[in-house]
Amino acid sequence: MSQFSLVAMGGTFDIIHRGHITLLSNAFEISNKVIIGLTSDEFAQKRGKTVSNNYEKRLTNLTEIIFKEFPNSSFQISKLDNDFGPAVLEPEVEALVVSDETSSQGDTLNDLRAQKNLSPVKVITVPMHLAKDGSRISTTRIKNSEIDSEGNLLSVDK
């Protein structure tokens, strides 16, 4: 029996890595259904992110990884054009799954929900998955060829 009926989480998911899998795993473990906000290309750009993959490719990659890693899980992917997407509007959302890095988003979300007379969500903070060097795994580090998507250090002698 899951702790929640519906939780929300979000991200850009440009290059899916072990940190993303950890976040998704936690969300699917505690809920019957997960709404995943996937950052639009426009919103990613507005937030200063340079994505390697466009929205359609990121959507395909995310969907494939969920079917592979979390078969039989119930989920919905919504395009995010702002920080919270459906989590602000959906009365049924009971929790927001975030990383250490984005945990402050929960307070902002609950303020916005209060303005709409919706009940607050519980904020579930998932510790960052660390690379072998003890620093966090990130898409930026992968793009810079420091680490691979599992957090293994890449040789600088290329």
Side-chain angles (χ1 to χ4, degrees):
M1 187 77 186
S2 294
Q3 190 177 346
F4 301 102
S5 298
L6 182 63
V7 300
M9 61 174 287
T12 305
F13 297 96
D14 189 20
I15 298 172
I16 297 176
H17 54 69
R18 178 57 45 204
H20 292 128
I21 301 299
T22 300
L23 211 56
L24 288 163
S25 175
N26 276 269
F28 285 122
E29 278 175 22
I30 63 169
S31 186
N32 297 330
K33 182 176 181 181
V34 178
I35 294 177
I36 303 162
L38 180 60
T39 306
S40 70
D41 293 337
E42 300 77 19
F43 189 52
Q45 188 176 17
K46 191 163 41 170
R47 298 199 68 200
K49 292 187 177 195
T50 305
V51 292
S52 299
N53 298 294
N54 68 21
Y55 179 84
E56 292 306 318
K57 180 67 175 159
R58 291 183 288 118
L59 176 62
T60 299
N61 292 346
L62 181 57
T63 303
E64 286 175 358
I65 203 87
I66 291 170
F67 282 134
K68 179 179 173 243
E69 298 283 332
F70 309 101
N72 307 316
S73 293
S74 178
F75 67 97
Q76 168 192 328
I77 299 175
S78 298
K79 186 181 264 190
L80 270 187
D81 289 310
N82 59 50
D83 282 326
F84 300 108
V88 175
L89 305 171
E90 286 289 332
E92 294 84 22
V93 171
E94 298 170 298
L96 179 68
V97 178
V98 296
S99 66
D100 294 334
E101 185 179 61
T102 58
S103 60
S104 64
Q105 296 284 61
D107 294 335
T108 307
L109 173 60
N110 280 329
D111 290 344
L112 292 168
R113 286 179 64 89
Q115 292 170 20
K116 297 184 182 320
N117 294 318
L118 296 174
S119 58
V121 297
K122 183 165 175 50
V123 179
I124 309 293
T125 303
V126 177
M128 298 289 271
H129 200 95
L130 300 180
K132 298 282 192 267
D133 63 359
S135 295
R136 70 188 188 88
I137 296 176
S138 71
T139 300
T140 302
R141 293 188 72 204
I142 295 167
K143 286 180 184 176
N144 290 340
S145 300
E146 295 173 39
I147 58 171
D148 65 14
S149 63
E150 292 294 317
N152 297 306
L153 300 178
L154 298 178
S155 172
V156 291
D157 304 328
K158 291 191 173 179

